[in-house]
Amino acid sequence: MKEMTYTIRDQDGIHARPAGILVKKMQEYSSAVTIKNGEKTADGKKLFQVMKLGAKMNDVITVSADGDDEDAAIAGAKAVLEENL
């Protein structure tokens, strides 16, 4: 399992557009992807779960991937987060 943390920099937090981009990217990988914000956990491949995390500006989220392409999944998540949030 690989893991990374990311601090949300967008003043609107994780809203529909960046969440959709992130989920679409995570669906490209076979690895299981989990995103955590505090005590809340979401399947990184399910839009409504990611939105329900309620991640706001300055929240630190943790993205973990477990599977054959976990390194690529983490790299993809990092790229999407840095570009969109």
Side-chain angles (χ1 to χ4, degrees):
M1 179 180 344
K2 298 289 181 178
E3 191 173 272
M4 66 164 279
T5 58
Y6 183 79
T7 303
I8 304 298
R9 296 180 293 201
D10 188 298
Q11 68 182 27
D12 296 324
I14 296 182
H15 53 94
R17 187 188 58 77
I21 294 168
L22 179 61
V23 167
K24 186 174 182 179
K25 185 66 173 176
M26 294 302 94
Q27 290 173 346
E28 296 176 10
Y29 304 103
S30 62
S31 294
V33 178
T34 304
I35 304 172
K36 294 182 183 178
N37 182 30
E39 297 296 317
K40 297 179 182 178
T41 303
D43 180 335
K45 298 181 181 185
K46 298 191 183 226
L47 179 61
F48 289 114
Q49 286 188 27
V50 173
M51 302 248 339
K52 284 182 77 173
L53 288 173
K56 305 289 184 215
M57 186 174 183
N58 296 322
D59 283 356
V60 178
I61 61 170
T62 302
V63 180
S64 58
D66 189 18
D68 293 337
D69 56 359
E70 58 192 27
D71 290 324
I74 291 295
K78 182 177 181 182
V80 168
L81 290 168
E82 288 177 348
E83 186 174 318
N84 296 283
L85 290 169

